[in-house]
């Protein structure tokens, strides 16, 4: 169990000197443009310094606008925030990686990224259609590129100083291992769904052993009910320690050595999700003892997003 005094300022060093990542991250998977702007601004004002984006969320421009305005208003330097975005499945071909990276950077209004992730290990048919399907609705995959080909192109972005760290998302340990072994620049971060119903302990242990940062998404189970937010063990601990169930789940995630992403839509919730403190050891152990197992996002099975509404083209 990690001993942490102030979660708000806790940061994880990334491997090969690739920077330090605040453990409490704000996720921008928000379908509405106006809510994206207000929530991002609220998160920055509340104290979040880690922002997780993706070309697939189709709102990098709004996130960028909110960050630029918030940095100026708050007198915060670009170097004081940590910004990630992700390469989408349709851009896995090596020659598409740098143009996709440049387009994301342009939409975000930034000149470097702290972290660039391969969003999923699935390559889709290359092109502008983010969700390519055949007439029967089946996803069109691209068998002409391997994950290692894409990884080599990610490495060259680091070589050219375009981003400080690279990593993978929605990946299982058996898929991560061959990339880890062949990589010239080892993945710095792995982003996957994790909460007490999906602890991903084996992957977490691997990350700790090799010095990769494990970044949990959906630490509140994406707010889906029933789910971890309503779990009786979590509610009882919340009452006992006088915190909210969300604060208990987030504290557990940090104490077990992961960084995390949440998506509070209001400034009040952003403050709540930052105002977390260490749980007593017995409470931490009780959460580890929860036996319910549930994955909320099926993206790892097909590469098709589980939480992003599908737009018919
Ligand atoms: N790599 C991937 O494939 C992938 C997939 C999914 C997500 N992500 C990233 O991870 C981020 C976080 O994921 P997530 O949105 O699923 O995380 P989450 O924080 O587990 O779930 C967000 C939901 O929790 C609710 N919530 C937030 N704070 C709360 C609080 N204090 N009390 C009660 N409910 C609360 C929100 O409700 P309201 O809507 O009512 O505010 C929202 O419905 C995303 O924004 C995205 O950046 C990545």
């Amino acid at each position: 169990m990690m001993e942490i005094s102030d979660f708000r300022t806790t940061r994880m060093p990334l491997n090969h000197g690739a920077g330090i990542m605040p453990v409490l991250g704000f996720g921008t998977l928000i379908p509405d443009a106006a809510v994206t702007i207000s929530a991002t601004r609220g998160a920055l004002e509340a104290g979040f310094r880690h922002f997780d984006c993706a070309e697939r969320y189709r709102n990098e421009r709004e996130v960028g606008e909110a960050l630029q305005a918030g940095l100026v208003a708050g007198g915060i330097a670009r170097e004081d925030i940590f910004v990630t975005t992700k390469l989408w499945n349709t851009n896995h071909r090596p020659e598409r990686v740098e143009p996709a990276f440049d387009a994301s950077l342009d939409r975000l209004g930034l000149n470097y990224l702290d972290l660039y992730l391969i969003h999923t290990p699935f390559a889709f048919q290359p092109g502008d259609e983010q969700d390519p399907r055949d007439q029967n609705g089946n996803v069109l995959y691209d068998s002409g590129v391997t994950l290692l080909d894409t990884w080599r192109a990610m490495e060259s972005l680091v070589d050219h100083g375009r981003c400080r760290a690279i990593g993978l998302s929605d990946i299982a340990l058996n898929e991560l291992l061959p990339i880890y072994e062949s990589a010239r620049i080892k993945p710095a971060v792995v982003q996957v769904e994790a909460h007490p119903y999906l602890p991903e302990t084996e992957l977490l242990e691997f990350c700790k052993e090799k010095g990769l940062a494990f970044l949990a998404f959906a630490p509140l189970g994406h707010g889906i009910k029933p789910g971890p937010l309503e779990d009786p063990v979590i509610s009882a601990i919340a009452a006992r320690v006088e915190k909210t169930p969300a604060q208990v789940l987030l504290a557990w995630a940090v104490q077990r050595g992961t960084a995390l992403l949440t998506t509070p839509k209001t400034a009040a919730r952003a403050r709540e999700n930052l105002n977390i403190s260490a749980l007593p050891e017995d409470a931490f152990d009780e959460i580890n003892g929860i036996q319910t197992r549930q994955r909320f996002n099926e993206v790892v099975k097909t590469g098709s997003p589980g939480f992003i509404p599908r737009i018919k083209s």
Side-chain angles (χ1 to χ4, degrees), residues 49-61:
R49 292 294 178 265
H50 169 173
F51 295 84
D52 179 78
C53 316
E55 59 171 307
R56 183 65 182 89
Y57 302 163
R58 296 174 179 267
N59 62 358
E60 288 173 309
R61 211 170 282 289

Side-chain angles (χ1 to χ4, degrees), residues 26-30 52-53 57 86 117 119-120 169-170 191-192 216-225 229 244 246-247 250 261-266 269 272-273 297 299 307:
F26 172 78
T28 63
L29 204 181
I30 304 171
D52 179 78
C53 316
Y57 302 163
K86 311 187 194 83
L117 299 175
H119 201 144
T120 88
S169 165
D170 297 325
Q191 182 185 130
V192 294
F217 77 72
L220 308 177
H222 197 58
I224 292 167
K225 294 182 178 166
L229 273 171
T244 66
Q247 289 169 324
L250 301 181
L261 299 167
T262 62
T263 316
K265 311 278 179 2
T266 62
R269 270 206 170 153
E272 175 185 338
N273 291 3
N297 193 326
V299 62
F307 296 161

Side-chain angles (χ1 to χ4, degrees), residues 140-218:
L140 291 167
Y141 292 97
D142 179 8
S143 57
V145 59
T146 67
L147 194 56
L148 187 58
D149 296 335
T150 311
W151 187 256
R152 295 287 183 231
M154 299 284 283
E155 290 176 327
S156 93
L157 292 174
V158 179
D159 290 338
H160 296 124
R162 311 298 313 282
C163 61
R164 296 188 169 164
I166 48 177
L168 297 136
S169 165
D170 297 325
I171 190 145
L173 184 53
N174 65 323
E175 297 163 311
L176 174 63
L177 278 171
I179 295 294
Y180 180 83
E181 274 153 20
S182 308
R184 182 169 55 79
I185 300 176
K186 303 292 179 202
V189 177
V190 174
Q191 182 185 130
V192 294
E193 177 180 343
H195 41 71
Y197 290 2
L198 189 67
E200 295 283 19
T201 311
E202 209 188 334
L203 180 61
L204 176 59
E205 288 312 316
F206 174 83
C207 289
K208 285 182 179 175
E209 189 191 315
K210 303 291 187 193
L212 280 68
F214 180 111
L215 177 56
F217 77 72

